[in-house]
Amino acid sequence: MMRLSTRGRYAARVMLELALCYGRGPTLLKDIAKRQEISEGYLEHLLPPLKVAGLINSSRGAHGGYTLAREPSKINLKEVVQALEGSLSPVGCVDSPSVCQRTGFCVTRDIWKELGEKISQTLESVTLEDMVKRQKGMGK
Amino acid sequence: MMRLSTRGRYAARVMLELALCYGRGPTLLKDIAKRQEISEGYLEHLLPPLKVAGLINSSRGAHGGYTLAREPSKINLKEVVQALEGSLSPVGCVDSPSVCQRTGFCVTRDIWKELGEKISQTLESVTLEDMVKRQKGMGK
DNA sequence: TCTTTTTCCTATTAATCTTATCAGATTAAT
DNA sequence: ATTAATCTGATAAGATTAATAGGAAAAAGA
């Protein structure tokens, strides 16, 4: 069904939340979970990949928590989704040509590749700053 | 991982195959399966949805088989993929707002919706005729 | 009307991926 | 030390996907 998994979706919400708190010190996982209505236990597995990708910083112990590694205007959605979903290609053979013998002469593969590039471009064009602005334009 | 399932991928290849045979009478499922290297048994499940969507015609019995319901230039990839995958939205709440309480004030939902529209546009812009032309430009 | 050819339909299974939960280890501040 | 946090790994439940199998229905030709 070509659906984003909750990993990518939740990651986007986590990063939006951190962008809304930007400049006010570390935010607790517990608070992100509460405000975004995501289970704490599950969130614990989503934040490490964001850190590995260099999108957030964390500090442990009392007064710890998470902060954005860069300004909201310098982080885009493609990076965020990619950190959790791995690849944005709609099919595996785009990333790993050798998984299929047809690669060399497969028209559909070329098209899926182009689709993947469109998806990347689209997500790359949205920054966390954009999202914060939109959020302020909405009710909540 | 936001991957297209084999249903959508195979459907694209089936339709390309039928487009390559366009104007030469019905093509057997068995032949589509052989040329596209897809199991016959599995293909049997993919063709009926294409028929329901009005993209192909079928006739049973001896000398039966499948044909495109329209010229290759009048069928686009969006229709094909949608017939097998159902929806092209990257998240369920775009199609069914009520599945989530946050719908009314969720910035990320709006963005996923826009992404879905981009995906639709991209696939809509590719016709079976385009694919046939590309195929002929490639080796096989 | 009988046989062959072909699509069509339903049920079932096996495998894989997703979504979580839990328990404990590690780190830092007071 | 104690407390407050993040981090890590194991595991299980659930959902989805991919595929197989068996037979029913329909059309054509003898």
Side-chain angles (χ1 to χ4, degrees):
Chain A
M1 261 273 244
M2 207 157 83
R3 288 268 154 95
L4 221 44
S5 72
T6 57
R7 294 167 60 83
R9 286 188 282 138
Y10 287 175
R13 281 160 57 185
V14 165
M15 292 300 277
L16 169 60
E17 192 62 42
L18 288 177
L20 288 166
C21 301
Y22 187 67
R24 285 190 246 142
T27 307
L28 298 182
L29 183 144
K30 197 196 308 178
D31 293 333
I32 301 173
K34 189 184 298 173
R35 288 200 279 265
Q36 289 292 327
E37 300 171 277
I38 302 171
S39 106
E40 282 181 49
Y42 192 45
L43 259 198
E44 281 181 352
H45 294 282
L46 308 189
L47 291 174
L50 290 170
K51 187 177 182 183
V52 168
L55 300 176
I56 60 175
N57 294 318
S58 66
S59 53
R60 310 221 261 195
H63 304 138
Y66 298 92
T67 52
L68 291 186
R70 291 173 250 149
E71 291 173 29
S73 65
K74 299 257 170 65
I75 298 179
N76 67 58
L77 246 197
K78 179 194 164 192
E79 303 177 88
V80 174
V81 174
Q82 216 161 34
L84 270 289
E85 302 272 339
S87 160
L88 294 177
S89 309
V91 299
C93 62
V94 167
D95 303 310
S96 326
S98 61
V99 300
C100 179
Q101 283 82 355
R102 307 179 65 83
T103 292
F105 53 88
C106 183
V107 173
T108 56
R109 175 175 180 270
D110 287 3
I111 290 167
W112 303 138
K113 189 174 175 195
E114 289 164 20
L115 176 60
E117 285 160 2
K118 259 290 191 310
I119 292 171
S120 278
Q121 283 165 23
T122 304
L123 292 179
E124 198 166 11
S125 74
V126 180
T127 69
L128 294 184
E129 189 184 32
D130 297 331
M131 293 170 67
V132 167
K133 277 184 190 157
R134 289 203 196 200
Q135 178 77 280
K136 296 196 168 147
M138 293 179 107
K140 203 147 188 177
Chain B
M1 260 272 245
M2 206 156 86
R3 289 267 154 97
L4 220 44
S5 73
T6 56
R7 296 166 59 82
R9 286 188 282 136
Y10 288 175
R13 282 160 57 184
V14 165
M15 292 300 277
L16 169 59
E17 193 61 44
L18 289 178
L20 288 166
C21 302
Y22 187 65
R24 285 190 248 142
T27 307
L28 298 182
L29 183 144
K30 198 198 304 179
D31 294 334
I32 301 174
K34 191 185 295 172
R35 286 201 279 267
Q36 288 293 327
E37 300 172 278
I38 303 170
S39 108
E40 282 182 47
Y42 192 46
L43 258 198
E44 283 181 352
H45 295 284
L46 308 189
L47 291 174
L50 290 170
K51 186 177 181 183
V52 168
L55 300 176
I56 60 175
N57 294 319
S58 67
S59 53
R60 312 220 260 199
H63 305 135
Y66 298 92
T67 52
L68 291 187
R70 290 174 249 151
E71 291 173 29
S73 66
K74 299 258 170 67
I75 298 179
N76 67 58
L77 247 197
K78 180 195 164 192
E79 302 175 89
V80 174
V81 174
Q82 216 161 33
L84 270 290
E85 301 273 339
S87 161
L88 293 177
S89 310
V91 299
C93 62
V94 166
D95 303 309
S96 325
S98 61
V99 300
C100 179
Q101 282 82 354
R102 307 179 65 81
T103 291
F105 51 89
C106 182
V107 173
T108 56
R109 175 175 180 270
D110 287 2
I111 290 167
W112 303 137
K113 188 175 175 195
E114 289 164 19
L115 175 61
E117 286 160 1
K118 260 289 191 312
I119 291 171
S120 278
Q121 284 165 23
T122 303
L123 293 179
E124 199 166 10
S125 74
V126 180
T127 69
L128 294 185
E129 188 183 35
D130 297 332
M131 292 170 67
V132 167
K133 278 184 190 157
R134 289 203 195 200
Q135 179 77 282
K136 298 198 167 146
M138 293 178 108
K140 202 148 188 174

